[in-house]
Amino acid sequence: MPSTKTTRSNTMDISKMVLGDASFTAPFKLIAERDDYIHAFVAYFDVSFTKCHKLMGFSTGPRSRATHWKQTVLYLEDVLTICEGETIIGSMAVAPNKKNPRDVDIMVKYSLSGRRCVVSRVQFYKMR
């Protein structure tokens, strides 16, 4: 997967969340830093505990120290060919599953209008 720069994150304050806040849609923009192929998107989270005596937190990001939490790999239906400087734009919608709220439904919309690849797609995933 090419190295990319992302321009999106989503912040939640669990001390202020209400029913329904666990569902969200987050737009994203990825800019390729080199020519390569994309087989999947990777989602991860960072946690900060700010309401305690000593600030604590961790990241599950691919460049962070390993924890027992892992990244979520969202494989694409098609392999994308991307060139340096090209941009993938899209959004990721996340919601608890209606039958089992411990499961998560994910919808990813993305598009790329590149020199070697033009695609616009919606894909659905279930996390258990």
Side-chain angles (χ1 to χ4, degrees):
M1 233 164 48
S3 179
T4 58
K5 295 178 183 176
T6 182
T7 59
R8 180 62 189 161
S9 65
N10 198 43
T11 301
M12 296 178 177
D13 182 342
I14 63 171
S15 68
K16 297 177 182 173
M17 289 179 70
V18 297
L19 191 62
D21 283 351
S23 299
F24 64 91
T25 300
F28 63 84
K29 178 180 175 183
L30 304 170
I31 303 169
E33 294 181 342
R34 66 175 189 257
D35 295 355
D36 214 327
Y37 302 96
I38 299 175
H39 298 267
F41 296 130
V42 177
Y44 61 92
F45 63 91
D46 300 331
V47 175
S48 297
F49 300 100
T50 60
K51 306 280 186 199
C52 48
H53 298 293
K54 181 180 178 186
L55 296 180
M56 301 174 68
F58 63 89
S59 175
T60 61
R63 294 188 175 126
S64 299
R65 200 173 96 214
T67 71
H68 71 283
W69 295 93
K70 303 297 177 203
Q71 297 89 31
T72 299
V73 179
L74 304 168
Y75 289 100
L76 304 180
E77 291 178 12
D78 300 309
V79 176
L80 308 181
T81 303
I82 195 165
C83 298
E84 181 179 353
E86 293 180 344
T87 302
I88 297 173
I89 57 169
S91 63
M92 182 170 74
V94 178
N97 181 276
K98 290 179 180 166
K99 290 182 180 177
N100 182 352
R102 295 184 70 163
D103 292 347
V104 178
D105 294 333
I106 302 170
M107 178 182 67
V108 177
K109 295 180 183 181
Y110 61 91
S111 63
L112 166 64
S113 294
R115 292 184 294 257
R116 297 184 185 152
C117 182
V118 176
V119 65
S120 182
R121 186 175 295 278
V122 178
Q123 288 188 222
F124 298 90
Y125 305 87
K126 288 192 184 298
M127 184 184 305
R128 299 183 184 221

